[in-house]
């Protein structure tokens, strides 16, 4: 088999890269083992323009959110599958001081505010005595459904090899990539955390374990709103339960759910919900994050035909489409990459 690109991994990053390569009519093959615990498959898929305890606008929000809505909507049409859900996110104020602080600076985020409430608005469902902010250009991506539909597409065009990638079988020359029976011009690693990738093991990554609860509530929550304070509560699209998350763990990097995370999530959930609930499941995944919380994108320092598109972390749904476009443009049309995501920032750490 001869292709322009070998792509290792099949998650949000890989899908975004593949779809942008298609726009340039490049041929490709994706090599990925089917890992049910991958961060993409267990992720809740939120995209949220106002994040953090201090409710700050997400980095590059204006560019990222307009692009992601267009990208995923077009992908839905291409795959004939629904997986993007545009929903308002409601962020309750924690105190009167919190409310006053927001009112004093909300102009910075006007484009993403649907409404600001100064008194309780969802008291039948959550505790919001000081009101809160209802956000727009927000919602969630049903990542699992998207990946399954995209996998079926790749299979239909004979562009998917469902096997674990063997890094030792890779042969790299100045102008050719050879992997077993495949010859390519380039290879792109979208292989997530803890992959054993020796070509980029010099990059200072910081994988983060995240755990999510599945719950059923005594009464249904509003269908058109996602509640988010301390934890998010998102309705599952295909089954009658809600997803609650997420935790952050940098040391215990296993796929096993823990009682520690369960307790953290239930404590925050109890502070938020005004309805009774029961836990029906708990899942864990490991996010491919970095120490500076910026993606790892660009060219290997010693191999001009070896690339990485990784390290998207907790904001992969919003980061992947925009930066996949920037990345592919940098390869094909020599467009300059944003310095904050360009892997060149770590070149001094590389030794051949």
């Amino acid at each position: 088999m001869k292709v322009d690109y070998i792509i290792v991994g099949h998650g949000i990053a890989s899908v975004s890269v593949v779809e942008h390569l298609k726009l340039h009519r490049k041929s490709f093959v994706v090599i990925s083992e089917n890992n049910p615990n991958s961060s993409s498959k267990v992720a809740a898929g939120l995209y949220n323009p106002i994040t953090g305890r201090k409710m700050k606008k997400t980095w590059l929000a204006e560019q990222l959110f307009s692009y992601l809505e267009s990208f995923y909507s077009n992908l839905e049409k291409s795959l004939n599958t629904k997986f993007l859900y545009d929903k308002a996110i409601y962020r309750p104020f924690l105190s009167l001081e919190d409310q006053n602080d927001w009112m004093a600076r909300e102009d910075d985020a006007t484009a993403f505010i649907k409404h600001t409430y100064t008194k309780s608005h969802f008291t039948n469902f959550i505790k919001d005595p000081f009101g809160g902010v209802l956000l727009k250009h927000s919602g969630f991506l049903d990542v699992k459904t998207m990946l399954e539909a995209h996998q079926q597409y790749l299979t239909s065009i004979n562009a998917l090899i469902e096997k674990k990638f063997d890094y030792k079988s890779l042969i790299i020359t100045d102008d050719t990539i050879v992997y077993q029976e495949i010859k390519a011009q380039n290879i792109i690693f979208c292989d997530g955390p803890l992959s054993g990738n020796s070509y980029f093991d010099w990059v200072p990554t910081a994988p983060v374990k995240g755990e999510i609860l599945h719950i059923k509530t005594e009464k249904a929550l509003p269908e058109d709103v996602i509640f988010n304070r301390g934890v998010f509560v998102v309705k599952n699209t295909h089954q009658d339960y809600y997803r609650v998350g997420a935790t952050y763990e940098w040391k215990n990097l296993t796929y096993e759910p823990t009682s520690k995370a369960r307790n953290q999530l239930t404590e925050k959930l109890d502070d938020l919900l005004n309805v009774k609930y029961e836990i029906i499941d708990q899942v864990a995944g490991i996010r491919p994050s970095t120490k500076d919380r910026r993606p790892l994108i660009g060219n290997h320092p010693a191999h001009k035909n070896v690339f990485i598109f990784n390290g998207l972390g907790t904001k992969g749904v919003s980061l992947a489409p925009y930066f996949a476009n920037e990345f592919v443009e940098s390869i094909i049309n020599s467009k300059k990459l944003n310095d904050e995501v360009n892997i060149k920032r770590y070149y001094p750490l590389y030794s051949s």
Side-chain angles (χ1 to χ4, degrees), residues 159-272:
L160 177 64
I161 298 174
E162 291 188 82
K163 287 185 180 179
K164 185 175 182 178
F165 188 82
D166 180 8
Y167 296 91
K168 294 180 180 179
S169 295
L170 187 62
I171 300 171
I172 300 171
T173 66
D174 287 343
D175 57 3
T176 307
I177 301 290
V178 178
Y179 179 76
Q180 298 176 358
E181 303 300 319
I182 305 170
K183 289 187 178 181
Q185 295 178 10
N186 307 278
I187 186 167
I188 301 172
F189 289 106
C190 304
D191 43 356
L194 311 178
S195 64
N197 186 341
S198 59
Y199 292 93
F200 291 98
D201 58 2
W202 47 275
V203 178
T205 58
V208 183
K209 179 177 181 177
E211 299 189 43
I212 290 176
L213 299 179
H214 296 172
I215 68 168
K216 286 190 174 184
T217 56
E218 187 178 49
K219 65 178 179 180
L221 304 180
E223 288 282 341
D224 57 344
V225 177
I226 296 170
F227 295 121
N228 188 354
R229 188 187 71 192
V231 291
F232 57 75
V233 184
V234 182
K235 178 74 185 309
N236 183 275
T237 52
H238 301 297
Q239 293 176 291
D240 189 24
Y241 66 82
Y242 297 87
R243 310 188 82 185
V244 177
T247 59
Y248 299 85
E249 171 62 55
W250 286 268
K251 295 181 180 179
N252 178 27
L253 299 179
T254 71
Y255 292 110
E256 292 298 319
T258 63
S259 57
K260 175 185 175 182
R262 184 187 182 102
N263 291 337
Q264 288 176 349
L265 292 171
T266 54
E267 182 178 337
K268 292 177 180 179
L269 188 59
D270 290 343
D271 286 341
L272 176 62

Side-chain angles (χ1 to χ4, degrees), residues 243-314:
R243 310 188 82 185
V244 177
T247 59
Y248 299 85
E249 171 62 55
W250 286 268
K251 295 181 180 179
N252 178 27
L253 299 179
T254 71
Y255 292 110
E256 292 298 319
T258 63
S259 57
K260 175 185 175 182
R262 184 187 182 102
N263 291 337
Q264 288 176 349
L265 292 171
T266 54
E267 182 178 337
K268 292 177 180 179
L269 188 59
D270 290 343
D271 286 341
L272 176 62
L273 282 188
N274 256 344
V275 299
K276 294 181 180 179
Y277 66 91
E278 64 171 320
I279 299 170
I280 59 173
D281 198 8
Q282 183 176 348
V283 295
I286 300 175
R287 313 174 185 101
S289 297
T290 60
K291 291 188 176 180
D292 63 3
R293 297 186 180 181
R294 294 290 183 260
L296 300 170
I297 301 174
N299 214 154
H300 189 280
H303 303 292
K304 66 179 182 180
N305 49 3
V306 177
F307 300 89
I308 187 171
F309 189 84
N310 209 329
L312 301 177
T314 61

Side-chain angles (χ1 to χ4, degrees), residues 13 31 35 59-60 83 91 93 102 111 126 130 145 164 167 191 225 228 238 243 251 259 277 319 327 332 338:
I31 303 173
N35 178 7
W59 176 61
L60 295 181
F83 42 76
R91 298 287 307 268
F93 295 124
W102 172 261
I126 65 169
F130 306 102
T145 296
K164 185 175 182 178
Y167 296 91
D191 43 356
V225 177
N228 188 354
H238 301 297
R243 310 188 82 185
K251 295 181 180 179
S259 57
Y277 66 91
L319 292 172
F327 172 55
I332 296 174
N338 184 309

Side-chain angles (χ1 to χ4, degrees), residues 135-146:
L135 304 175
K136 57 184 178 180
H137 299 297
S138 57
F140 74 95
L141 182 75
D142 184 344
V143 181
K144 185 173 183 290
T145 296
M146 181 193 71

Side-chain angles (χ1 to χ4, degrees), residues 36 54 68 108 118-119 134 196 201 218 228:
K54 294 185 179 180
L68 78 85
D108 180 52
T118 56
K119 58 183 180 181
L134 196 64
D201 58 2
E218 187 178 49
N228 188 354

